Amino acid sequence: MKTHNCQQGSDEWFALRTGRITGTRIAKMAGGTKQTIDSLCYEVASEIITGQRSDAIKATPAMERGTEMEAEARSAFSAEFLLNVVEVGFFEVDDLFGVSPDGLIGENAGLELKCPLPHTHLKYITAGDKAWRAYRWQVQGCLWATGRARWYFASYCPLFDGRELVVNVVEPDADDLAKIAEKAEYCRGKINEILEVLK
């Protein structure tokens, strides 16, 4: 395992992600059908072969808003819970897996930040301690990849005076981690099988 302190969204960050199953892909891997997972394996294999990212996503206005507000959200979370959040670019598990946490906290925790539109933040408020389940596999994937004991899921919307932050503390779920590990083993085998065809 290795932590890369590059800027998320930089050329170095995209290069580290290319040819790897990262956070959003872990979610697809863990929660997808066999057809979806096989398609993912072909995407990753093609990236390994070509060195080119195959799932480039054009940022939507909501995504751009979230990126712009992330530093403010991180500061609000740190002030509220008196926790020091360290920014990292990419957490490399091995040659095939890695995640991009929104922050690491001490030696045993991490942070997933969302800066949603008001109506989505309101859904998280009403969901209470289950708000994080909208990102179940992404959060459990980070716990699996980093081996940490807990992960904070935080939604931030400054328009909700007094309820700007919705925070859940998530612990590893043994069944979820076992499923991720099982699917990861399948993907590694499938990708190696695909690459062998070209040798």
Side-chain angles (χ1 to χ4, degrees):
M1 295 185 188
K2 182 179 179 182
T3 301
H4 297 268
N5 294 315
C6 57
Q7 180 71 36
Q8 292 191 14
S10 65
D11 289 343
E12 181 184 355
W13 182 75
F14 279 113
L16 287 165
R17 292 169 60 85
T18 301
R20 281 196 169 97
I21 296 175
T22 56
T24 51
R25 284 176 162 177
I26 288 175
K28 186 185 288 187
M29 177 187 78
T33 64
K34 184 179 184 304
Q35 183 178 1
T36 299
I37 296 167
D38 283 350
S39 178
L40 171 64
C41 291
Y42 277 97
E43 282 182 21
V44 174
S46 72
E47 291 180 4
I48 293 169
I49 294 163
T50 66
Q52 299 295 312
R53 189 84 181 159
S54 63
D55 68 341
I57 300 172
K58 185 176 180 181
T60 65
M63 290 167 66
E64 290 174 352
R65 175 180 177 276
T67 300
E68 290 168 4
M69 293 183 66
E70 188 173 299
E72 180 183 334
R74 191 179 290 106
S75 295
F77 172 85
S78 295
E80 178 78 15
F81 293 92
L82 302 177
L83 292 169
N84 182 37
V85 180
V86 177
E87 292 182 59
V88 295
F90 190 76
F91 191 94
E92 176 184 335
V93 178
D94 56 31
D95 62 331
L96 191 58
F97 293 94
V99 293
S100 299
D102 291 327
L104 295 177
I105 302 166
E107 297 297 319
N108 290 308
L111 174 65
E112 178 67 31
L113 278 173
K114 300 298 178 187
C115 301
L117 293 170
H119 68 277
T120 303
H121 186 74
L122 182 57
K123 288 180 184 177
Y124 296 151
I125 291 173
T126 60
D129 63 2
K130 292 182 171 48
W132 72 277
R133 294 196 63 85
Y135 292 91
R136 170 189 174 189
W137 292 116
Q138 189 174 0
V139 172
Q140 290 291 334
C142 283
L143 286 163
W144 171 78
T146 63
R148 294 193 167 221
R150 64 189 169 281
W151 212 262
Y152 292 87
F153 171 85
S155 175
Y156 176 73
C157 183
L159 298 175
F160 285 79
D161 189 28
R163 298 299 298 272
E164 300 94 339
L165 278 168
V166 173
V167 178
N168 294 165
V169 182
V170 184
E171 295 182 350
D173 179 282
D175 290 339
D176 284 354
L177 297 193
K179 184 170 185 179
I180 292 170
E182 177 189 345
K183 300 291 187 180
E185 183 178 353
Y186 172 82
C187 286
R188 187 179 295 280
K190 182 69 175 179
I191 290 167
N192 286 337
E193 178 185 306
I194 295 166
L195 295 176
E196 279 294 322
V197 174
L198 295 186
K199 287 185 180 179

